[in-house]
Amino acid sequence: MDAKVRLYVEQPLGQGQAVALTADQAHYLFAVMRLAVGAVVALFNGRDGEWRAEVAEAGKRGGVLVCQAQTRPLLMPPDLWLLFAPIKKARTDFIVEKAVEMGARRILPVQTRHTNSERIRQDRLQAHAVEAAEQCGGTFVPEVAELAALDRLLAGWPADRRILWCDESLMGAAQLLSGGLAGEPRGPWAILIGPEGGFSDQEKARLRAMPQVLAVSLGPRILRADTAAVAALALWQASLGDWRP
Ligand code: SAH
């Protein structure tokens, strides 16, 4: 029997492993989805792959599932981080959701000089990442980091992690990519998307001076940050990521 419901849990998963449900999970499975003892659920925890589990106990405020067999191994996305300056709530949620679907390993909201949003709700964004993974069949949930200053991140930036800097000032002209990123090395990368207000001159100068940085144009139109994030993720995945062998 195929599982109708995919659920993220924190506990370890393995053959015969019993998983106790929280009140919220029990409510979702038994009240909302109307599952009963004997029903089958797909479980994942971001570490142990996906498991088929059977409902062994179903209560109003709790319940127990028992793992029967692994249905998918853990599939890690490539070592790609997404750095973006948070925007309005709904669009920031969208960026996190899409980054999970597109296969980012880590999501890092960054504070730039012109970033609109001073604060984020990290816990809420992390919950969005979990939901997106549940929905897209992912077995991995990227960490959503706390908001960090771009300056500080760049100051400690690892020498071996390239940065795909989406730079709208390259728009048009001769800067359009021909052949995607095919000539670039695979390995650790990050995508950097700026705020609605764009990058400051100081930020641009700093990025230009870093040997890890590759500045790219995403075409002759100005994209909103959420569109730019999805476009850059697609470009990177198709050239250097898990869209190709
Ligand atoms: N304030 C800017 C637009 C910022 S768009 C302006 O009006 O000029 C938000 C972010 O999306 C940018 O910082 C950049 O990282 C990315 N972006 C949008 N369009 C882009 C393009 N055509 N090429 C490269 N990056 C782009």
Side-chain angles (χ1 to χ4, degrees):
M1 185 170 64
D2 267 356
K4 276 192 307 192
V5 178
R6 269 190 112 233
L7 191 67
Y8 172 85
V9 296
E10 311 228 316
Q11 296 97 320
L13 302 174
Q15 194 65 49
Q17 181 81 42
V19 177
L21 298 172
T22 65
D24 282 351
Q25 290 166 336
H27 175 77
Y28 174 65
L29 292 186
F30 310 133
V32 180
M33 299 307 290
R34 310 211 150 269
L35 301 185
V37 169
V40 166
V41 177
L43 295 182
F44 70 108
N45 61 6
R47 303 182 302 274
D48 300 320
E50 182 189 273
W51 286 76
R52 191 178 61 230
E54 199 180 282
V55 178
E57 287 170 35
K60 273 212 158 58
R61 286 191 190 78
V64 176
L65 304 177
V66 176
C67 294
Q68 294 175 327
Q70 194 187 46
T71 43
R72 279 179 216 220
L74 174 66
L75 177 69
M76 293 284 284
D79 191 359
L80 175 65
W81 298 354
L82 175 67
L83 276 64
F84 73 98
I87 36 180
K88 280 194 213 88
K89 185 170 149 301
R91 288 184 188 274
T92 299
D93 291 353
F94 179 94
I95 290 178
V96 168
E97 179 183 298
K98 298 312 159 202
V100 174
E101 291 176 32
M102 297 294 291
R105 179 86 62 97
R106 258 185 105 201
I107 301 171
L108 297 96
V110 294
Q111 173 92 53
T112 67
R113 182 76 200 283
H114 301 311
T115 297
N116 314 55
S117 163
E118 302 287 305
R119 41 189 1 178
I120 55 158
R121 285 276 312 274
Q122 189 277 339
D123 55 340
R124 239 181 33 97
L125 292 178
Q126 188 67 64
H128 266 289
V130 166
E131 255 174 57
E134 278 173 347
Q135 176 272 323
C136 76
T139 48
F140 176 81
V141 182
E143 174 211 2
V144 181
E146 289 286 356
L147 188 65
L150 179 65
D151 276 355
R152 268 200 20 235
L153 276 177
L154 294 183
W157 196 259
D160 66 344
R161 184 174 294 276
R162 308 285 315 274
I163 298 179
L164 188 71
W165 171 27
C166 298
D167 178 3
E168 69 272 24
S169 65
L170 297 180
M171 222 171 37
Q175 309 289 351
L176 294 178
L177 291 166
S178 56
L181 304 171
E184 298 299 322
R186 298 180 93 165
W189 274 86
I191 288 170
L192 172 60
I193 305 288
E196 279 168 15
F199 293 98
S200 72
D201 289 342
Q202 208 186 0
E203 286 162 346
K204 286 184 196 164
R206 172 164 215 168
L207 286 163
R208 277 197 205 101
M210 287 175 68
Q212 299 98 322
V213 168
L214 174 68
V216 293
S217 161
L218 298 173
R221 287 161 293 270
I222 294 196
L223 309 177
R224 284 193 186 257
D226 47 351
T227 316
V230 178
L233 286 159
L235 172 69
W236 189 91
Q237 284 289 23
S239 308
L240 301 171
D242 63 12
W243 289 15
R244 47 163 285 197

